[in-house]
Amino acid sequence: MAGTAYRLVIAAAAALVCGAGCAPQPQRPNVLLITIDTLRADHLGCYGYQRPTSPRIDAFAAGAVVFENAHSSSSWTLPSLASIHTSLYSTTHGCWKIYSRLEPEFTTTAEILRDAGYDTAMVACHIFLSAQYGLQQGFTHIDDELVRPPSDAAAAISSPGVTARGVRFLERQAASPDGAPWFLWLHYFDPHDTYLPHAGFSETFGTSAEIDLYDGEIAFTDHHVGEVLARLAELGLAEDTIVVLTADHGEEFGEHGFQRHGYTLYEEAVRIPLVVRAPGAPARRVSDVVSNVDLLPTILDLAGLPPPAARDASCAHGFEGRSLAPLVRGTGPLLPAAALSEVRWHDGQDLRAWRDGAWKLVEDQSTGQQVDQSALFDLATDPRERTDLREPESARLAALREAVTHRLARAMGWARCYPLVELYAPTPGDMRRLQDLGYAGDELPSSPEEGRR
Ligand SMILES: [Zn+2]
């Protein structure tokens, strides 16, 4: 029986049992979140790539809402996934070091949905999704059998295993529906280096250059993601399910002199695919600048759930992202907003990027680095980020700097609501600017030692 028909039967049965004594419970949609590690947007057909890396994702995107300018909050895995699940930037959730973890005091997508009656499940194949990093909170069913030690992870091929486990979960839901909606998170890892050849996929792209192998890994992953989406439809669950497909960050192949990810905030590192299919929402393409911190409020809004209450009155705050539901449904524009990306993975590294419309400011406050990546780009005329416009656009530069400083100050203030979070200590340049903008010194952490109080 199709999912919708099942649900009508369950709802009717519940109404008979409850009679007039129970308030009717609205039927929530299921949520399927698919994250693909290291998948830059511009290597997918639905984002204009000329090579056939993604026929199945492209077919899915053709019937969904494609966000053309989606940015990750960071250019490596842990901070990005933590942002997806908390709607907070790195400075606030504190996952900005290799040894960071998402502390239990944060409220995640899975916790909110579980508390709203959802059956929550995740399939993990990456070390950062293992228990010690904190991203498992809120999941009732956790399958992390595919997680390998870092030394083995690069050689492991995991997409078939992720898909098999995801399909098993869907089949269980379809076979024994209990009326409860579900939230399933599948994380794919294969496009991450080391890039491996896959028979039947990689031949199309070649295996001599790294970027060719990378494309083969995408095609291989695309096939397995397609299997999940096909099974969702075959089981009659698609029309009751919000599907979100995205990546944690991109990948660099020397465009700006860097390889892999986590070193810069250029577009190849932070521009991610974001495709959302929601029941009743027409297919469309959206050019607004959005961030992966927008995903949690969007999922809740599409599911008809309110944001959670503030943790306590003395530390009331909400999400740093906005609901994209009006854009998904095609019912209205968003208020203008910008997207922040940050990376502080390596010793001394301190980079942030602020994307506002077509303009992108990169501020490099790192110490001990050989290259200063600070620049101002006009992505409308310079999508490859070649020409630094800080000098001729000095007024715009000042306005963008002020905006990013305000955002950073807010994030630092919110971070102090979480006693276990490792606080980000602003650089001397930050401190000067914050004081110029009227922030008092005692509102801000003054040193790294103030973290982990
Ligand atoms: Zn990653």
Side-chain angles (χ1 to χ4, degrees), residues 189-269:
F189 186 71
D190 285 321
H192 194 285
D193 72 288
T194 302
Y195 316 117
L196 302 171
H198 300 279
F201 296 92
S202 302
E203 297 86 349
T204 304
F205 310 99
T207 54
S208 51
E210 285 199 326
I211 201 162
D212 295 338
L213 282 163
Y214 174 70
D215 282 347
E217 296 259 39
I218 294 172
F220 179 72
T221 307
D222 173 80
H223 171 77
H224 290 285
V225 168
E227 292 291 289
V228 172
L229 295 172
R231 201 72 188 111
L232 186 78
E234 289 162 4
L235 293 166
L237 298 169
E239 64 196 56
D240 298 331
T241 302
I242 299 163
V243 181
V244 177
L245 186 148
T246 190
D248 55 350
H249 51 78
E251 188 76 325
E252 296 185 64
F253 292 92
E255 292 86 349
H256 290 88
F258 294 84
Q259 305 285 341
R260 309 292 188 261
H261 53 267
Y263 298 99
T264 81
L265 295 171
Y266 294 112
E267 291 293 273
E268 52 269 25

Side-chain angles (χ1 to χ4, degrees), residues 88-321:
L88 299 172
Y89 286 113
S90 303
T91 296
T92 309
H93 63 53
C95 294
W96 42 274
K97 286 289 191 191
I98 193 79
Y99 51 76
S100 300
R101 58 174 272 123
L102 186 67
E103 298 295 346
E105 54 198 347
F106 287 97
T107 303
T108 63
T109 315
E111 289 175 309
I112 298 167
L113 293 178
R114 180 199 62 197
D115 293 349
Y118 276 68
D119 195 10
T120 57
M122 67 180 280
V123 178
C125 61
H126 188 335
I127 187 76
F128 286 124
L129 282 76
S130 55
Q132 70 264 31
Y133 289 98
L135 292 169
Q136 295 186 355
Q137 50 190 289
F139 287 98
T140 303
H141 311 285
I142 297 164
D143 186 332
D144 54 8
E145 290 176 348
L146 295 169
V147 174
R148 299 280 176 271
S151 55
D152 297 342
I157 295 170
S158 51
S159 291
V162 174
T163 287
R165 286 162 169 78
V167 165
R168 268 207 300 278
F169 176 85
L170 296 178
E171 289 175 346
R172 274 201 307 274
Q173 291 292 332
S176 53
D178 58 3
W182 47 262
F183 170 44
L184 173 63
W185 177 27
L186 303 178
H187 185 78
Y188 288 85
F189 186 71
D190 285 321
H192 194 285
D193 72 288
T194 302
Y195 316 117
L196 302 171
H198 300 279
F201 296 92
S202 302
E203 297 86 349
T204 304
F205 310 99
T207 54
S208 51
E210 285 199 326
I211 201 162
D212 295 338
L213 282 163
Y214 174 70
D215 282 347
E217 296 259 39
I218 294 172
F220 179 72
T221 307
D222 173 80
H223 171 77
H224 290 285
V225 168
E227 292 291 289
V228 172
L229 295 172
R231 201 72 188 111
L232 186 78
E234 289 162 4
L235 293 166
L237 298 169
E239 64 196 56
D240 298 331
T241 302
I242 299 163
V243 181
V244 177
L245 186 148
T246 190
D248 55 350
H249 51 78
E251 188 76 325
E252 296 185 64
F253 292 92
E255 292 86 349
H256 290 88
F258 294 84
Q259 305 285 341
R260 309 292 188 261
H261 53 267
Y263 298 99
T264 81
L265 295 171
Y266 294 112
E267 291 293 273
E268 52 269 25
V270 295
R271 183 171 172 242
I272 50 173
L274 175 59
V275 185
V276 180
R277 188 177 71 193
R284 60 201 298 256
R285 297 184 72 89
V286 174
S287 61
D288 301 53
V289 172
V290 302
S291 163
N292 60 356
V293 299
D294 297 328
L295 288 181
L296 169 51
T298 302
I299 289 169
L300 296 186
D301 198 350
L302 291 172
L305 291 165
R311 299 171 61 240
D312 61 63
S314 66
C315 215
H317 67 68
F319 297 137
E320 286 181 296

